[in-house]
Amino acid sequence: TCTASPHFILENHDRVPQSSDTKYNREGTTAHEVAAAFLQDRAPDPKECPTPIDSAMLTHGWNYMDYVLGLLEPGGRMIVEQKLPLWYMPERNAKVDVVIINPNSLHVVDYKYGEGVPVSPVENKQVVIYAKVAATGTEFMDNFPVFSHIYQPRGRAGESGPAHVWETTWGEVNDIAKGIHLMAEAIQVKEPLVIEFAPSEKACQWCPAKGFCTARQASLAEGFEVIDELQPLPSPGTAVISEEQLVRILKHKAQMVK
């Protein structure tokens, strides 16, 4: 989405936080290991569980297993939590949650354990990448049915259920994949017509350079009211902030927090 970000991150590697490890990442890692263990009929590997396994992980993991196994047909094969090389950048990997290749259908399941905004499976590029890497070496007809599943047990309203599905075809998956491949190649060679910053709440959410990206700062500042005669004070104490300045601070609190 933000095609300038990969090179910007590399060029500013000394300013990028060295660790993206958070309690949410650790919790998600453990939840994925619990779910994979259920699917593979084994005990969870303690080395893959950076947080304690709680009852919610067991309940959601069991329900996820039940859902996934319901997609497996006789003669089908299942890939679970495997690192596979990206077809457009073979030195890098994608870790596939679940892909099921049945004789008459392909199912890609992405397990989202976070409680954040619900993720849509429709034309989801991550799921398309998973489908392509898992099906490398397999030939499908363009009309071969493909089902993209986002299983998000804690991020969806009760009535809609934990899973949302996008039914498509291998031909459409290939069309989206071609766009991904062309964009990846253009980014790697810094194609000038392609490289541009495109800040947005969604695009910037997981970017490690968001704390010092001037494009993002400019985007967030667009809604600020500019009053030339009020010059910024260097770290003023609350006693010297005028009522007018205080009103402006409170008015733009949400943007300042961002």
Side-chain angles (χ1 to χ4, degrees):
T1 302
C2 181
T3 50
S5 62
H7 288 291
F8 183 73
I9 292 165
L10 287 174
E11 290 161 1
N12 292 276
H13 65 90
D14 55 327
R15 302 173 67 188
V16 172
Q18 293 305 301
S19 175
S20 59
D21 189 32
T22 68
K23 71 173 185 176
Y24 305 107
N25 289 349
R26 294 191 295 271
E27 182 183 61
T29 298
T30 302
H32 272 76
E33 172 57 19
V34 169
F38 277 131
L39 280 169
Q40 296 171 329
D41 194 21
R42 59 175 175 81
D45 183 348
K47 296 192 297 294
E48 299 297 325
C49 298
T51 63
I53 297 172
D54 59 31
S55 59
M57 291 177 189
L58 294 171
T59 299
H60 294 313
W62 180 271
N63 292 337
Y64 171 73
M65 173 202 69
D66 193 50
Y67 178 84
V68 169
L69 292 182
L71 306 173
L72 185 62
E73 299 173 1
R77 63 185 178 93
M78 181 169 62
I79 298 169
V80 179
E81 292 287 336
Q82 282 191 27
K83 281 187 177 180
L84 300 170
L86 294 168
W87 82 94
Y88 58 86
M89 198 182 291
E91 69 277 11
R92 302 294 296 274
N93 295 315
K95 190 172 185 181
V96 174
D97 290 356
V98 168
V99 172
I100 292 174
I101 303 176
N102 288 322
N104 299 302
S105 62
L106 174 69
H107 294 266
V108 184
V109 189
D110 190 20
Y111 187 38
K112 301 286 189 189
Y113 194 68
E115 294 184 86
V117 177
V119 179
S120 170
V122 179
E123 297 184 0
N124 186 297
K125 291 183 175 65
Q126 183 180 11
V127 176
V128 167
I129 290 170
Y130 286 172
K132 286 289 289 182
V133 298
T136 298
T138 306
E139 295 293 331
F140 297 124
M141 300 290 288
D142 279 353
N143 62 352
F144 190 80
V146 178
F147 298 86
S148 161
H149 307 253
I150 298 290
Y151 192 94
Q152 194 171 4
R154 303 194 302 168
R156 299 205 183 277
E159 288 187 5
S160 67
H164 280 202
V165 186
W166 172 46
E167 184 176 350
T168 183
T169 63
W170 186 247
E172 189 167 2
V173 166
N174 268 326
D175 286 343
I176 297 172
K178 287 174 186 173
I180 294 171
H181 198 161
L182 289 171
M183 186 63 72
E185 288 184 335
I187 290 171
Q188 289 178 75
V189 299
K190 288 189 175 183
E191 173 59 51
L193 296 178
V194 170
I195 300 299
E196 62 178 353
F197 286 99
S200 69
E201 187 170 352
K202 188 173 182 180
C204 298
Q205 185 175 6
W206 305 114
C207 178
K210 65 181 179 182
F212 55 85
C213 175
T214 54
R216 178 173 183 264
Q217 291 165 4
S219 173
L220 291 172
E222 283 178 1
F224 278 87
E225 177 187 1
V226 178
I227 302 177
D228 293 336
E229 62 269 19
L230 283 177
Q231 296 299 318
L233 297 172
S235 304
T238 53
V240 299
I241 296 178
S242 69
E243 287 187 9
E244 185 178 8
Q245 288 175 315
L246 184 59
V247 167
R248 291 171 64 204
I249 289 168
L250 293 174
K251 179 180 178 182
H252 298 296
K253 177 182 175 183
Q255 289 169 290
M256 292 172 71
V257 168
K258 285 183 179 181

